[in-house]
Amino acid sequence: MLWSLLTLGVLLSAKPPPGETVFVPCPQSTPEWAAAQERLLALDARMGELPDEDDARPVVEALRELLKSRCFEMSREEDSPLMEDEPPPALSLKAWWRDGGRTWVASYLELGKPGVRMVVLPPSVRPVLVRETAKPDHRLASLLCSAADRDCAKQMETWTAQVDVAFARERERQGTSSRLAEKLSQMCEESARKRPTRWRYTAWRQCQRNSDRYAPQPLVVRMRAPEDGWLVMRGRRGHHSFCDEVRAYHLGTGTAWVSQSCSELSLYEDQERLGQVDVKATDDARRAEVAVGTVSLEQLREVARAVLLADEPMAHGRAAATPVPVPEGYRIEWRERKSGLSSVGMGGGAGWFTSGQTRLNWAWFPPGRAEPLSGELTWPDSAQPAEDHADRRIVEMEETFKSGCPARAVPLALLDVTKPPGVNRLDAPSGVARPQDDRLTALRNWQPPPGCAAPQE
């Protein structure tokens, strides 16, 4: 320990060459380190007390002043996650702090401890979608809440927790299915070793800064779940075994209309057409039905919110604070000179798809003839975490289906303006227009069973 402290002291007292400025960690044994820790704790408390709707600029300024101080000045090795000219809203700032902003700031005190050789890359700041930040003509404007709406914030807690799990699950999948992180580290270390010894840490750290681990990030959202209107989903579910479907759910009552035609792909076995789909045999094996009843109203509304937000553009960046070990033999010291230091970087992400995935078209028709919203989902899972979350919520909601008399008539006029998505031509050489039209015809011809009155329009 004594040797480590002496080494830090030598680094602090060493005079850099002309034109160079050197920044080193603040030794834990010094009074200024203890004072810096107190300032960090005070800022942490201030972050926790910051109301969601308040102006975050005073807190952002306090953070910037902290980062300029002696024990945090090595933070200049990282591009500031907080824009100088446009500080993030309080909601975004607090989310960044929780995502790992605090861990990043605190890491500079950790570097002052003997033997610590781990730097932290900060997370990116996530955009906020609330009434105050959205344009008046935003597609979700009618559902967005104010940042000050505590009830709306509470309603979002379940969605936020579930979406965080979905995004974490995809980041973990990418981490275990690719060697991107290893390649980044190896590339940065090899590049830095070509530099003079005193510049190796700076070159390596600059490369780490420029080599973003791109990952999708959820927005920080305040949005009410739709409570009325119709949610319509159309398309083919499944691959070898499939169902062509039209589903309509009423968000006011939980009424569910499901018209589906299911079959299995029948393939030719003769040498000339081996492996091709026999459309006639596939259609002859279809099993068609119309199911009417109800689903959980609470889960249906959560599905509607998940589907609407899955179509909202997601942010991309560093999703969390990322610890990275410093290569052996590198002195931890950030150097600057007027001429700068060129470095390299590499970024990337990962995606995936399977032959068993299809696309579903969805549309939400608000009450009062308001403008409908529509989009597509990858089914039954997706490399896009927000879509994957919506898929899972749909499955859970549909498991609550109970047959019964419908409280609302099937919205045929609305269904007529929706369209099914296409299907891979290898699976459906003749397309899906006819089986989808048949699904609408089946809904038109539906008659209430004994004991059920004609549903309301």
Side-chain angles (χ1 to χ4, degrees):
M1 179 178 294
L2 178 60
W3 175 254
S4 298
L5 293 177
L6 288 173
T7 301
L8 279 173
V10 170
L11 291 174
L12 284 169
S13 61
K15 186 176 181 179
E20 292 183 8
T21 305
V22 180
F23 303 90
V24 297
C26 183
Q28 185 184 17
S29 59
T30 61
E32 57 187 351
W33 189 96
Q37 187 178 45
E38 291 297 321
R39 289 184 65 183
L40 175 59
L41 292 174
L43 180 64
D44 188 37
R46 193 170 174 183
M47 286 279 190
E49 296 169 356
L50 179 66
D52 292 346
E53 68 275 14
D54 268 20
D55 185 349
R57 282 176 291 187
V59 180
V60 171
E61 185 57 34
L63 172 59
R64 287 177 178 150
E65 289 301 315
L66 178 71
L67 294 177
K68 293 176 184 177
S69 64
R70 165 67 188 94
C71 290
F72 298 97
E73 61 187 354
M74 276 192 68
S75 64
R76 61 197 301 125
E77 67 188 5
E78 185 70 35
D79 290 334
S80 175
L82 308 173
M83 296 175 62
E84 294 285 344
D85 56 343
E86 188 178 350
L91 267 175
S92 186
L93 176 65
K94 293 167 66 177
W96 173 79
W97 192 251
R98 291 191 304 269
D99 289 344
R102 187 196 188 285
T103 301
W104 170 62
V105 175
S107 71
Y108 292 103
L109 291 181
E110 294 297 311
L111 283 177
K113 295 179 179 180
V116 174
R117 299 195 50 86
M118 187 74 69
V119 299
V120 173
L121 310 181
S124 302
V125 176
R126 289 191 277 156
V128 168
L129 182 59
V130 294
R131 185 181 301 162
E132 291 85 351
T133 63
K135 295 181 179 180
D137 61 349
H138 191 281
R139 56 190 286 275
L140 301 177
S142 64
L143 297 171
L144 294 179
C145 307
S146 166
D149 190 331
R150 301 292 185 267
D151 289 338
C152 187
K154 188 171 182 61
Q155 291 177 23
M156 289 298 301
E157 288 177 356
T158 299
W159 179 88
T160 300
Q162 292 175 341
V163 165
D164 285 346
V165 170
F167 277 76
R169 182 169 51 242
E170 179 58 21
R171 289 196 298 271
E172 182 179 357
R173 191 207 63 79
Q174 291 185 12
T176 56
S177 65
S178 73
R179 295 174 56 85
L180 177 60
E182 294 179 15
K183 290 180 179 178
L184 289 172
S185 296
Q186 182 180 1
M187 182 205 66
C188 288
E189 185 172 351
E190 290 176 353
S191 175
R193 290 200 182 279
K194 300 175 183 178
R195 306 284 184 175
T197 301
R198 73 179 191 277
W199 280 99
R200 285 180 182 173
Y201 173 84
T202 301
W204 172 82
R205 186 61 179 80
Q206 194 169 37
C207 180
Q208 292 290 338
R209 179 183 73 190
N210 296 337
S211 301
D212 285 332
R213 280 79 166 165
Y214 290 118
Q217 297 173 277
L219 301 173
V220 183
V221 182
R222 294 288 183 270
M223 188 185 94
R224 294 181 293 104
E227 296 182 347
D228 206 348
W230 287 90
L231 178 64
V232 175
M233 288 182 283
R234 297 185 63 175
R236 174 171 290 193
R237 300 190 187 190
H239 180 35
H240 295 292
S241 297
F242 67 88
C243 292
D244 288 308
E245 298 184 346
V246 175
R247 292 174 179 254
Y249 299 101
H250 188 247
L251 293 163
T253 62
T255 299
W257 292 85
V258 181
S259 181
Q260 59 183 191
S261 175
C262 304
S263 187
E264 295 184 4
L265 295 180
S266 180
L267 306 180
Y268 288 109
E269 297 183 358
D270 59 276
Q271 191 63 35
E272 184 178 349
R273 297 173 296 180
L274 185 65
Q276 296 180 25
V277 174
D278 183 337
V279 176
K280 184 178 184 305
T282 299
D283 286 345
D284 288 345
R286 284 180 179 272
R287 305 172 305 281
E289 67 170 341
V290 172
V292 185
T294 59
V295 293
S296 165
L297 193 55
E298 179 182 358
Q299 292 193 40
L300 171 59
R301 291 171 177 174
E302 284 299 325
V303 163
R305 175 156 49 194
V307 166
L308 289 169
L309 288 174
D311 209 48
E312 193 66 18
M314 295 289 111
H316 280 74
R318 198 179 293 137
T322 306
V324 183
V326 180
E328 290 295 328
Y330 288 15
R331 295 199 304 266
I332 301 178
E333 53 180 24
W334 176 257
R335 289 178 175 265
E336 293 181 359
R337 62 185 177 192
K338 291 182 180 180
S339 59
L341 174 69
S342 62
S343 183
V344 294
M346 182 174 75
W352 55 271
F353 64 91
T354 72
S355 60
Q357 289 173 326
T358 60
R359 300 292 290 174
L360 300 182
N361 277 359
W362 61 265
W364 173 51
F365 296 90
R369 297 186 179 182
E371 187 71 21
L373 299 179
S374 61
E376 282 191 349
L377 279 177
T378 301
W379 181 268
D381 47 23
S382 174
Q384 296 299 322
E387 280 193 337
D388 196 57
H389 168 68
D391 288 338
R392 290 170 183 263
R393 300 289 78 79
I394 290 171
V395 170
E396 292 177 359
M397 178 267 291
E398 291 175 349
E399 288 176 349
T400 70
F401 176 83
K402 295 181 180 178
S403 297
C405 301
R408 289 289 187 275
V410 61
L412 291 171
L414 302 181
L415 293 176
D416 282 340
V417 302
T418 63
K419 299 293 182 184
V423 175
N424 189 315
R425 281 291 179 180
L426 295 177
D427 292 347
S430 302
V432 294
R434 186 178 62 78
Q436 279 284 326
D437 288 344
D438 290 345
R439 294 303 88 227
L440 295 183
T441 300
L443 289 172
R444 287 190 179 88
N445 295 337
W446 182 86
Q447 295 294 322
C452 282
Q456 302 176 25
E457 291 293 336

